[in-house]
Structure formats: structure tokens, C-alpha cells
Amino acid sequence: MSLLAKRRLIVTGASSGIGHAAALLFAREGAHLILCARNAERLAAVAEEVSSLGGEVHCVSGDVALAATHEACVAAAQDAFGGLDGAFNNVGMVGPMAPLADIAPADFAEVLAVNLVAAHHAVRAQVPAMLAGEGGALVFTSSFVGNSVALPGMGAYASAKAGLTGLVKSLAADYAHMGIRANALLPGGTDTAMAGSEENKAWAAGLHPMRRIARPEEVAQAALFLLSDMASFVTGSSLWADGGNHATKVQAPW
Ligand code: NDP
């Protein structure tokens, strides 16, 4: 069974990490894809991988902090596929690590722009296009940070990711009766460029009862569930893919 057969989807942050894994998984499940990130060359390399799986794919390079990038992604879906059935709005950035009082206002604003305001730009571009068709599903990548834990130095990121979870619930409330589902995906530490050095990854593994961080493919599988009809009565939810981090702060003594 193909879980996303002929679904016309946007994937942002598709050139690396979770978005890259998602693009390949969604293509294997039959989706037609618009891939977005800033670096056109890295994006084209992923598009080639998707094509080699038989998936139909187009690229839009741009910054998700700009409304124009989301408008271009939607226009590309309409031109290439005749409409839009959903999106995996997945881009995020941590920004400079510092205690909150030491984070410059411009840095705080940039982290909010990429993690939170970008989601509103995405909604404004994607929702009308989906309402013009048969609705569909939107998934936004939030984080365990800001939702189950605060980590020192990550105050701007935590603020943005907590806000994103609220935006997604509101989106679900606004559009559930119109056939649009919206859910937040909350990964724990995941083995991508964002996770940093091997030392950082080992430290992050210790925050998770499963005592490891996720493979990007494991997080992509959770996104696949939320985008597919397997989640047909799931909206406004937060799906944790965090190795149990949110469930307990206590590690078993063995
Ligand atoms: P990666 O660093 O591996 O990938 C980030 C992707 O986003 C790249 O494709 C990058 O491409 C793109 N990107 C970054 N900034 C922008 C921008 N302003 N506009 C457009 N594209 C952009 O990160 P992950 O896969 O780890 O992160 C994916 C999501 O998962 C993020 O929302 C992150 O916050 C979240 N997350 C990650 C965790 C982890 O431990 N890795 C834990 C919890 C949540 P380019 O640079 O070319 O634009």
C-alpha cells in the first residue's frame, strides 16, 4: 500500500537531515514533491535521488523566513501538479547559544522568523491552495526543546518551538471543519547536522530514556503517518518522536 499515492506535497528543509529522509520516504510512498531549502545545489542533489526512486519532483530555493518563498512553493505545486494536498514544514534553526539576557534582539528575532513566523507565511500560502482543492494535511516540525525541556542557551529556539506548537493547534481549530488537518511533530535529538559534534550527540543521547538519538528516517516515518490517511482523525496533536524524553526525566538505574 502506498501511503501518499499521488499526494502533491511541499517539503521544506529537504536538502539535509530529517527533510532529506522525508523526501525520500514520501517519494517511495508515491508522493509528488516540491522541495525547498536555500542552497540550490544541495537541493538539486536530493531531487536527483528522489527522481531515481521514480518520484516526480521540483525544487524551489529560498529562505522560509520570506513569504515569497512559500508563495513560490505553492505556485510550483500548482504549475507542476495542478494543486496542493499538504506540506511538511520542517525548517528550523537554533541560532547563537547564550543565556536569554545575552541573546541580541536581532538574533532572537531571526530565530523566531525562521522557526515560527515562517510557519505563518506557510499557512497563508498553503491553506488557500488546499481549500481550493480537497483539503489535506500539514505537519510542522517543532522540537522536544521548548515543549518538554528547556536546555541552557537555547531560549530563543525554545520560545519559537513552543509558539509553533500553539500555532498548529490554532490552525487545527480554524480549519478542521474544512478538511485540513494540522499536527506538530516533536523530535528528540536527531542525528543530523543540527545536532552538532559527536560529543553533543552523545550528551543529547543521555536526555532520552532510549539512550540514543533518533535516525532522521525514524522522525520522517512519524511525519509520514501524520500526512497520510492513517491519521485521518488526528488533528491539533503533538506527536513526540523523542525516545521517551517527554514521558520521564528519570533514567532507569540499570
Ligand atoms: P539540518 O540542519 O540537517 O537541515 C536543515 C534544513 O533546513 C536544510 O535543508 C537547510 O538547507 C534548510 N534550511 C535551514 N534554514 C533555512 C531557511 N532559513 N530557509 C530555507 N531552508 C532552510 O536540520 P534537521 O534535519 O536536524 O532539522 C529539521 C527540523 O527538525 C528543524 O525544524 C529542527 O529544529 C527540528 N529538530 C531537530 C532536532 C535535531 O536534534 N536535529 C531535534 C528536534 C527538532 P539550507 O541550509 O540549504 O537552507
Side-chain angles (χ1 to χ4, degrees):
M1 180 171 60
S2 293
L3 292 177
L4 297 176
K6 296 189 172 43
R7 295 289 159 83
R8 303 159 297 182
L9 303 178
I10 294 165
V11 178
T12 73
S15 61
S16 171
I18 294 167
H20 177 200
L24 299 183
L25 180 61
F26 298 173
R28 280 193 208 99
E29 292 294 336
H32 300 324
L33 297 176
I34 303 298
L35 306 183
C36 175
R38 290 167 301 181
N39 184 308
E41 213 170 303
R42 285 199 298 160
L43 203 53
V46 175
E48 245 181 73
E49 283 183 84
V50 168
S51 291
S52 72
L53 296 171
E56 212 180 313
V57 61
H58 298 269
C59 296
V60 172
S61 53
D63 186 339
V64 295
L66 304 174
T69 300
H70 301 279
E71 287 155 14
C73 287
V74 170
Q78 286 168 330
D79 287 352
F81 310 138
L84 182 70
D85 302 309
F88 182 32
N89 293 301
N90 164 68
V91 167
M93 71 172 286
V94 173
M97 302 270 292
L100 270 166
D102 296 337
I103 296 179
D107 291 335
F108 194 90
E110 188 190 3
V111 172
L112 255 69
V114 171
N115 291 291
L116 179 57
V117 180
H120 185 234
H121 293 319
V123 165
R124 285 177 52 78
Q126 293 162 6
V127 165
M130 292 165 68
L131 291 176
E134 293 180 1
L138 296 170
V139 175
F140 295 79
T141 309
S142 181
S143 175
F144 75 122
V145 177
N147 289 291
S148 64
V149 294
L151 297 179
M154 297 181 79
Y157 181 74
S159 303
K161 292 298 195 184
L164 180 58
T165 313
L167 179 146
V168 172
K169 286 182 186 160
S170 305
L171 185 57
D174 286 340
Y175 296 102
H177 65 293
M178 297 186 203
I180 294 181
R181 295 185 299 103
N183 290 289
L185 176 57
L186 281 61
T190 306
D191 193 358
T192 69
M194 183 182 277
S197 66
E198 291 308 314
E199 196 184 350
N200 282 349
K201 290 177 191 172
W203 177 80
L207 300 174
H208 302 72
M210 287 179 79
R211 295 199 175 140
R212 64 176 179 87
I213 57 174
R215 288 179 287 107
E217 293 76 13
E218 293 177 299
V219 180
Q221 284 165 198
L224 168 64
F225 166 72
L226 291 173
L227 285 167
S228 78
D229 290 344
M230 301 286 282
S232 54
F233 202 55
V234 181
T235 193
S237 290
S238 296
L239 178 57
W240 304 88
D242 68 346
N245 171 274
H246 74 286
T248 178
K249 302 292 171 274
V250 180
Q251 297 283 9
W254 53 83

